[in-house]
Amino acid sequence: DVKVTQSSRYLVKRTGEKVFLECVQDMDHENMFWYRQDPGLGLRLIYFSYDVKMKEKGDIPEGYSVSREKKERFSLILESASTNQTSMYLCASSSSGGRLGQETQYFGPGTRLLVL
Amino acid sequence: QKEVEQNSGPLSVPEGAIASLNCTYSDRVSQSFFWYRQYSGKSPELIMSIYSNGDKEDGRFTAQLNKASQYVSLLIRDSQPSDSATYLCAVNARGSGNTGKLIFGQGTTLQVKP
């Protein structure tokens, strides 16, 4: 079974703090993704990575950065947390290779972040 | 036009009925289609994937794909209250190559009433 874990289920931070969200997958997947999910807005892609040290911006990268130093780990960084970054953050991973079905994304349990 | 569109619902069906969830997509070259289920406060979990025109059945779930009409649907037979959730449709993104990027719809909320 694919397992994607996230460092925290719930997190409370203050405005201006630097926040690190960690995601680890155990299936040797090449691709990893960070989304945020807000009521009425669906899943929005923040950043993704298709290889170690490689990253690409998603639809809403502003205010975020990412790090992928090891294949199994993908970190999302909020450089200076703001109240509008209060959200549910979801990490996902998938295999590459180009064959149909390999794009299946497997999600972690999510981190609910509250910025005060 | 959104790339992947779903009716947000809620779709309400009685227990035991067939629930029909629909999704349209804009990119004709899309090849891979996914249905995820998401319970309130939880993360999405994959229910079905489909790649060829026609029907694909898995237990009480049937995915239907019509590439000519750019339409994918999910049927849930003998709906149970435990099926009450938000169902997300996802399609592989144009030019995604090996990055595996998917485009998600906003989801349809299904309520199954006992």
Side-chain angles (χ1 to χ4, degrees):
Chain A
D1 271 356
V2 175
K3 190 160 186 185
V4 182
T5 58
Q6 295 183 229
S7 50
S8 304
R9 294 299 304 273
Y10 301 94
L11 210 50
V12 180
K13 295 292 180 181
R14 297 276 178 197
T15 302
E17 280 192 77
K18 192 169 186 175
V19 182
F20 294 85
L21 302 181
E22 299 269 303
C23 176
V24 178
Q25 50 92 6
D26 67 356
M27 281 301 292
D28 202 35
H29 282 169
E30 290 79 12
N31 305 321
M32 297 187 75
F33 307 83
W34 275 107
Y35 298 90
R36 64 178 283 179
Q37 189 174 36
D38 303 285
L41 296 177
L43 277 171
R44 292 185 289 168
L45 182 63
I46 304 171
Y47 267 97
F48 64 103
S49 168
Y50 53 90
D51 202 349
V52 175
K53 296 191 186 293
M54 305 303 289
K55 61 186 178 184
E56 284 200 23
K57 293 179 180 179
D59 301 318
I60 52 163
E62 297 79 18
Y64 303 94
S65 61
V66 290
S67 172
R68 190 153 181 215
E69 296 297 319
K70 292 186 177 182
K71 191 175 186 181
E72 67 271 18
R73 189 179 299 268
F74 192 33
S75 301
L76 179 69
I77 303 150
L78 286 65
E79 298 290 344
S80 177
S82 64
T83 54
N84 63 13
Q85 292 179 309
T86 291
S87 187
M88 168 74 108
Y89 289 88
L90 290 161
C91 175
S93 72
S94 70
S95 179
S96 67
R99 293 200 300 275
L100 288 178
Q102 289 191 306
E103 312 100 316
T104 302
Q105 290 188 15
Y106 299 91
F107 285 84
T111 295
R112 195 168 290 279
L113 173 67
L114 173 63
V115 182
L116 299 174
Chain B
Q1 182 191 5
K2 291 181 183 173
E3 293 179 83
V4 178
E5 290 205 59
Q6 297 179 255
N7 188 322
S8 61
L11 172 65
S12 184
V13 301
E15 184 174 355
I18 296 175
S20 177
L21 304 162
N22 305 315
C23 173
T24 58
Y25 60 95
S26 60
D27 189 350
R28 287 194 169 274
V29 303
S30 296
Q31 294 184 306
S32 305
F33 307 86
F34 306 87
W35 282 101
Y36 286 83
R37 177 177 63 199
Q38 186 175 23
Y39 291 114
S40 181
K42 302 294 187 182
S43 60
E45 57 179 330
L46 181 73
I47 300 177
M48 302 255 325
S49 55
I50 187 167
Y51 313 106
S52 304
N53 277 328
D55 294 0
K56 179 181 177 183
E57 188 174 317
D58 183 0
R60 295 187 295 111
F61 298 96
T62 299
Q64 299 176 317
L65 176 60
N66 183 325
K67 289 186 179 181
S69 299
Q70 295 175 238
Y71 175 97
V72 58
S73 64
L74 180 69
L75 300 179
I76 306 175
R77 289 182 300 282
D78 188 24
S79 296
Q80 301 297 309
S82 59
D83 295 324
S84 297
T86 297
Y87 291 80
L88 302 172
C89 172
V91 176
N92 70 305
R94 174 185 285 272
S96 58
N98 291 338
T99 67
K101 188 178 172 185
L102 300 179
I103 307 297
F104 286 84
Q106 293 218 357
T108 298
T109 299
L110 173 66
Q111 296 174 347
V112 180
K113 301 199 169 177

